Amino acid sequence: DLPTEYGSEIFKGHRPAKDAACIRRMKNAGAVLMGKTVSTEFATFRPGKTRNPHNPAHTPGGSSSGSAAAVGDSMIPLAFGNQTAGSHIRPGSFCGICAFKPTWGTVDLTGIMPLEHSFDTLGYFARSFDDIANYYAIVRGAPPADAPDGIGRPPRIGFYRALERKHAEPAGTAAVEAAAKTLQSLGAIVEEVELASHFADLIDVHPIILNVGLTRSLKAIYEKDAHRISERLRGMIEAGLSTPAATYRQALDHADACRRDINAAFGAYDVLLCPSAPGEAPQGLEATGNPVFQLAWTLLHAPCASVPGAVGPKGLPVGIQFVGRQYDDNTVLAIANWFQQRRT
């Protein structure tokens, strides 16, 4: 019923022939569609006009910019987002709301513009994990239910610092360290954990696969309207076009091997704890922030939740992230809900 422009002037005024499957599910359940929100260009990196609801001089993150900002500003209770790199969890963190990216492949993506099939995941924004649990259930065709209040015992949390040491800002580190202490005070078992060495380079593998994927999903647009695509997106597509077949094949094989191993790599831990983003939302509207804290988990098809509550030195929200095993979405939601309700 509304224009769907993919954040690009190329599709100005475009009206799909029918609703996406996720919208149809919500309408059938009685949801009221309040409007469309702003996305970055083809859900990549060129920002739209959305600003951070906590300080309009700062980015809301992306690509799900408008969705996160609208929920963060209490304009709406729920919104969809997408994650192919870090497009969902990061804006959830920047806008101070609950965000959930489920296991890849759990819902029907018909009607959503594809970028890279093996990464694209529909996500959910709300101001509580009870709302997210009900929302996610409806979209995947399950009976609606609130998020469980924990898992019935003290959770075992693996504090994963590998990315934090290299990429976190002081605000991101402070938020995740404070969360670890609060979790311990609530009775959780929190221990530092390392993953096997072959997981270490996934943040470099992800862009190889994504860029090649863009050469397929955006091929027709690139060939017809390259001059109307941002320089950065053109660069990603051209990097994909110049990627040797052997390099791409090696990246796919490595990703597949890591996906097979990730559940076992959790060991005795229920979830991993790490930052949702490097820190507070960057100042300015020219960029949407660094997706580094999502790349590996998106590639691994792991469910992730960003829990709000921390505030950085500039007064902006900073989320912390729980990551779970593939298909263990309920545990991630349960622990995120349990923690959010008790951290204050």
Side-chain angles (χ1 to χ4, degrees), residues 84-85 104 114-120 201-218 236-259 295-296 298-301:
T84 302
W104 175 86
L115 290 181
E116 165 48 46
H117 169 71
S118 67
F119 296 161
D120 295 343
D201 63 350
L202 292 181
I203 61 173
D204 300 314
V205 172
H206 177 282
I208 296 171
I209 299 172
L210 174 59
N211 291 345
V212 174
L214 294 177
T215 69
R216 297 165 180 159
S217 58
L218 301 181
M236 293 171 69
I237 295 170
E238 288 160 7
L241 290 169
S242 65
T243 299
T247 300
Y248 179 56
R249 183 71 259 168
Q250 184 179 24
L252 291 178
D253 290 345
H254 185 45
D256 287 341
C258 289
R259 288 178 191 134
L295 298 183
T298 301
L299 180 149
L300 291 167
H301 298 169

Side-chain angles (χ1 to χ4, degrees), residues 25-309:
R25 289 266 192 181
M26 292 301 293
K27 284 184 173 180
N28 289 345
V32 176
L33 181 64
M34 297 181 71
K36 280 293 189 70
T37 57
V38 173
S39 167
T40 63
E41 177 193 35
F42 298 114
T44 57
F45 292 102
R46 182 168 68 182
K49 59 187 177 181
T50 310
R51 298 168 180 262
N52 191 297
H54 299 273
N55 185 331
H58 291 249
T59 179
S63 64
S64 306
S65 311
S67 292
V71 174
D73 200 46
S74 297
M75 296 177 183
I76 53 176
L78 307 169
F80 286 116
N82 258 17
Q83 186 154 303
T84 302
S87 292
H88 189 77
I89 295 295
R90 185 170 84 262
S93 177
F94 286 169
C95 293
I97 57 176
C98 301
F100 179 60
K101 181 204 80 70
T103 301
W104 175 86
T106 54
V107 300
D108 184 355
L109 300 188
T110 300
I112 297 175
M113 174 179 273
L115 290 181
E116 165 48 46
H117 169 71
S118 67
F119 296 161
D120 295 343
T121 311
L122 183 65
Y124 310 84
F125 292 127
R127 289 186 294 277
S128 76
F129 284 103
D130 281 339
D131 282 352
I132 282 183
N134 279 281
Y135 189 17
Y136 177 45
I138 291 168
V139 175
R140 72 179 194 276
D146 289 349
D149 185 13
I151 57 175
R153 59 170 172 79
R156 294 183 60 90
I157 313 289
F159 193 171
Y160 182 61
R161 288 183 175 272
L163 290 173
E164 176 204 333
R165 295 188 190 106
K166 298 178 181 178
H167 301 285
E169 299 165 6
T173 296
V176 78
E177 288 181 348
K181 291 178 181 177
T182 301
L183 284 161
Q184 288 176 318
S185 73
L186 294 172
I189 299 165
V190 182
E191 299 171 340
E192 293 202 23
V193 62
E194 299 288 343
L195 297 182
S197 60
H198 64 292
F199 292 101
D201 63 350
L202 292 181
I203 61 173
D204 300 314
V205 172
H206 177 282
I208 296 171
I209 299 172
L210 174 59
N211 291 345
V212 174
L214 294 177
T215 69
R216 297 165 180 159
S217 58
L218 301 181
K219 181 175 185 288
I221 297 168
Y222 176 77
E223 290 177 345
K224 181 182 178 183
D225 288 297
H227 64 289
R228 301 171 74 186
I229 297 175
S230 68
E231 182 178 353
R232 182 165 183 181
L233 180 53
R234 285 199 308 271
M236 293 171 69
I237 295 170
E238 288 160 7
L241 290 169
S242 65
T243 299
T247 300
Y248 179 56
R249 183 71 259 168
Q250 184 179 24
L252 291 178
D253 290 345
H254 185 45
D256 287 341
C258 289
R259 288 178 191 134
R260 289 193 297 269
D261 294 346
I262 186 58
N263 280 9
F266 275 68
Y269 300 110
D270 299 302
V271 293
L272 302 182
L273 168 68
C274 59
S276 295
E280 294 170 284
Q283 187 169 357
L285 303 177
E286 299 78 24
T288 59
N290 189 343
V292 66
F293 286 102
Q294 283 78 58
L295 298 183
W297 314 125
T298 301
L299 180 149
L300 291 167
H301 298 169
C304 308
S306 183
V307 183

